[in-house]
Amino acid sequence: MKMFVATHNAHKIREISQILPFAQIVPDDPKGVEETAPDFAGNALIKVRAIASRHRGEWCMADDSGLEVAALGGEPGVRSARYAGEPSDTAANNALLLRNLDGVQNRRANFTCAVALVAPDGSERVVHGRCFGAIALAPSGNAGFGYDPLFVPDGYGKSFADLTADEKNKISHRGRALMEVRKVLENGGMV
């Protein structure tokens, strides 16, 4: 099966391909689409609708995800990729997060992912995944992307960036949301 995915992020494409190995993943950059929704689900729907209009009769998918830090009132949240401003800069985002948490004891956080699907018949569905953990005092690890070097998932003594791809995909927010997508697709489509 072919699945058009609204992203240009090679890391996301790799993760999606690992979790949905039965699907031919075709990236389709939703250039010019503004993510203006106040939540992850709304932004995922904005992106998937943009590409679904170009691929009628095909499966289309988009995700929106981000880091929510309790002590920061849920920031960076939907602005995770651009937390330090435009254009998106991972190193600047991570540095700003660490500065904003300097001296803060409660470093609890979670990653949230919303995946929006448009089926060939045009019906829509949104699924979610979450992973809880804490923000480390300093980055660690060489794998992953974004905030992965700073996020230590519950039950692990190391960051997402220290985990293997298989380990991360089993517990990550995106991995959990994509397992829900997999269930939808394996059940013959929209349930």
Side-chain angles (χ1 to χ4, degrees), residues 172-184:
S172 78
H173 55 303
R174 187 170 295 106
R176 290 175 175 169
L178 288 171
M179 287 309 295
E180 293 301 312
V181 168
R182 187 176 182 145
K183 288 178 193 174
V184 168

Side-chain angles (χ1 to χ4, degrees), residues 20 40-42 44-45 61-65 112-118 124-130 173-185 189-191:
L20 304 176
F40 299 115
L45 283 165
M61 180 173 75
D63 86 303
D64 195 47
S65 58
T112 298
C113 178
V115 176
L117 289 168
V118 173
E124 299 177 345
R125 178 153 181 191
V126 178
V127 297
H128 296 85
R130 275 195 163 158
H173 55 303
R174 187 170 295 106
R176 290 175 175 169
L178 288 171
M179 287 309 295
E180 293 301 312
V181 168
R182 187 176 182 145
K183 288 178 193 174
V184 168
L185 297 174
M190 301 311 229
V191 181

Side-chain angles (χ1 to χ4, degrees), residues 45 53 57 131 147 151 157 175:
L45 283 165
S53 68
C131 183
Y147 297 97
F151 185 78

Side-chain angles (χ1 to χ4, degrees), residues 14 18 47 52 87 98 104 118 120 185:
R14 184 174 60 247
Q18 290 167 342
K47 291 186 282 189
L98 288 176
V104 174
V118 173
L185 297 174

Side-chain angles (χ1 to χ4, degrees), residues 3-43:
M3 173 74 72
F4 290 92
V5 179
T7 189
H8 64 278
N9 185 319
H11 297 287
K12 282 186 185 183
I13 293 297
R14 184 174 60 247
E15 283 185 2
I16 293 166
S17 296
Q18 290 167 342
I19 297 167
L20 304 176
F22 55 85
Q24 176 190 355
I25 304 302
V26 181
D28 185 354
D29 190 347
K31 286 182 183 175
V33 173
E34 291 189 42
E35 298 174 42
T36 56
D39 57 26
F40 299 115
N43 284 330

Side-chain angles (χ1 to χ4, degrees), residues 126-158:
V126 178
V127 297
H128 296 85
R130 275 195 163 158
C131 183
F132 294 90
I135 303 302
L137 296 173
S140 174
N142 297 314
F145 60 100
Y147 297 97
D148 286 359
L150 294 177
F151 185 78
V152 178
D154 287 347
Y156 291 78
K158 53 189 177 180

